[in-house]
Amino acid sequence: MRAARLIKMVLLLQSRPSMTAAELARELEVSERTITRDAQALSEAGVPVYADRGRAGGYRLIGGYRTRLTGLARGEAEALFLSGVPGALREMGLEDAASAARLKVSAALLPSLRDASRTAAQRFHLDAPNWWSEPRTPELLPAVADAVWDDLRVTARYRKGEAEVERELEPYGLVLKAGIWYLCARVADGHGSFRVYRIDRFTAVTPSPDRYTRDDDFDLPAFWEAQAERFARSILRAEAVVRLSPEGARRLPYVVGDRGAAREALEAAGPPDGDGWVTVTLAVESETVAHTQLLSLGPEVEVLAPDSLRARFTEAARQLARLYGT
């Protein structure tokens, strides 16, 4: 632990003209007294760390000293490509690797380019979770992430309805979607089928010492896109026929769960009637969900079918009339 901290301290000093004890302590998450002891240890080991006294003082490297410890380890290189998603790195347990990689890259850059990481961070930030939802990191995510990075088979237990199921999996990739973590894995059952699992439903993950051989043809982004589209379509098990005003047609993609399905329905609609309204057949998850979603369009939609859904809107109109008056 201390050796890693000393290396990080040297890289920090190499990437900047000087740093105060407070700045180093904040970066390394230790006390200023520990920084003083570490600086003395580095000096005794032959690293020319010089301490400037006074209010504007700090620590710096003298004599143009350059460390050769700037080569990236594999884990650091992989984490570097994810450095734009610091929250995800932290949840997967890769924050330290990414920090070390950034320092090594910064130390290897020309002095005029060493502020690139700071300027980039001020210009781009990814906030993955949905609004009004508290993101929760699955307890077993670090264990799953380790298996993904090391190509290790795992024995996983997960909740499936009211029961628990155990599977031997080959973890291929992780996906963070709207604040929820998913694992894309191949089931080690001889059939080689790929499936998607919500990591927060895992109750136990036991890694195996055996590595599996990855299928080089597996494309994680393409697989996820196909699975997500298939899932979105699979839940649309019912239909509703509705008339929409021009304003209702404009707002429809924003009130239903599947914007693609809404746009397809609008594209397939016939020409507007004499009032400018269009009639569309919309794929919906269920009558209850359709009632909740379409009700937000208010007077910009008229439900034509099924009769049971139209009856729900009729009753809702009666209740609104009683509430607000006729």
Side-chain angles (χ1 to χ4, degrees):
M1 176 66 76
R2 190 190 185 199
R5 188 176 70 243
L6 291 174
I7 291 173
K8 191 172 182 179
M9 183 173 176
V10 173
L11 292 171
L12 282 169
L13 293 175
Q14 184 172 312
S15 64
R16 307 178 193 181
S18 68
M19 296 183 70
T20 66
E23 290 172 336
L24 285 167
R26 185 166 56 252
E27 289 280 355
L28 299 175
E29 298 180 346
V30 294
S31 67
E32 293 186 31
R33 181 171 296 182
T34 298
I35 294 298
T36 301
R37 289 197 296 264
D38 285 353
Q40 183 177 352
L42 287 171
S43 181
E44 292 173 353
V47 179
V49 178
Y50 182 78
D52 291 315
R53 305 298 178 184
R55 177 176 298 180
Y59 293 94
R60 59 186 174 89
L61 296 174
I62 60 176
Y65 179 84
R66 305 284 295 177
T67 176
R68 297 180 181 271
L69 299 172
T70 53
L72 292 178
R74 181 175 182 83
E76 295 169 346
E78 290 172 338
L80 186 62
F81 285 100
L82 297 172
S83 59
V85 283
L89 281 168
R90 183 172 55 254
E91 293 175 6
M92 287 189 290
L94 296 174
E95 188 175 27
D96 288 343
S99 176
R102 287 192 296 270
L103 279 173
K104 289 182 178 181
V105 170
S106 179
L109 291 174
L110 294 172
S112 60
L113 300 177
R114 287 177 186 164
D115 66 342
S117 62
R118 183 185 62 82
T119 56
Q122 295 301 319
R123 287 162 174 78
F124 174 76
H125 175 69
L126 177 65
D127 186 7
N130 274 331
W131 289 103
W132 305 295
S133 63
E134 187 67 27
R136 294 183 180 180
T137 303
E139 183 179 345
L140 295 173
L141 176 60
V144 175
D146 287 344
V148 169
W149 295 118
D150 293 335
D151 295 341
L152 295 176
R153 286 191 178 91
V154 300
T155 300
R157 293 186 62 83
Y158 66 95
R159 295 186 300 274
K160 188 175 183 180
E162 298 297 323
E164 276 197 3
V165 180
E166 185 173 284
R167 292 282 187 274
E168 187 177 354
L169 303 175
E170 296 175 351
Y172 264 66
L174 296 168
V175 175
L176 177 59
K177 169 71 171 179
I180 298 176
W181 284 95
Y182 296 89
L183 171 67
C184 301
R186 183 167 60 184
V187 182
D189 58 1
H191 300 292
S193 59
F194 286 91
R195 299 180 185 176
V196 176
Y197 302 87
R198 276 185 59 152
I199 296 179
D200 58 5
R201 292 179 182 168
F202 284 141
T203 58
V205 174
T206 305
S208 165
D210 300 326
R211 283 183 165 83
Y212 64 90
T213 302
R214 292 181 69 92
D215 181 353
D216 292 336
D217 293 331
F218 179 78
D219 185 332
L220 179 60
F223 172 77
W224 175 259
E225 183 179 0
Q227 290 293 111
E229 184 177 355
R230 187 178 298 116
F231 170 76
R233 298 295 177 176
S234 69
I235 64 174
L236 302 178
R237 303 186 181 95
E239 286 186 345
V241 182
V242 299
R243 287 180 69 238
L244 295 162
S245 70
E247 175 63 14
R250 185 189 69 81
R251 289 165 49 190
L252 182 66
Y254 301 97
V255 302
V256 299
D258 188 330
R259 293 190 180 186
R263 293 192 181 100
E264 289 177 8
L266 290 169
E267 290 171 359
D273 59 21
D275 297 324
W277 289 46
V278 294
T279 300
V280 303
T281 300
L282 180 66
V284 295
E285 183 176 343
S286 67
E287 185 176 302
T288 300
V289 172
H291 176 254
T292 302
Q293 294 174 338
L294 295 174
L295 197 60
S296 65
L297 294 177
E300 310 301 332
V301 62
E302 178 189 4
V303 174
L304 303 178
D307 291 339
S308 54
L309 181 57
R310 184 176 176 88
R312 288 189 182 216
F313 274 77
T314 302
E315 179 58 28
R318 288 197 187 101
Q319 292 179 15
L320 287 170
R322 286 196 297 269
L323 183 62
Y324 290 104
T326 55

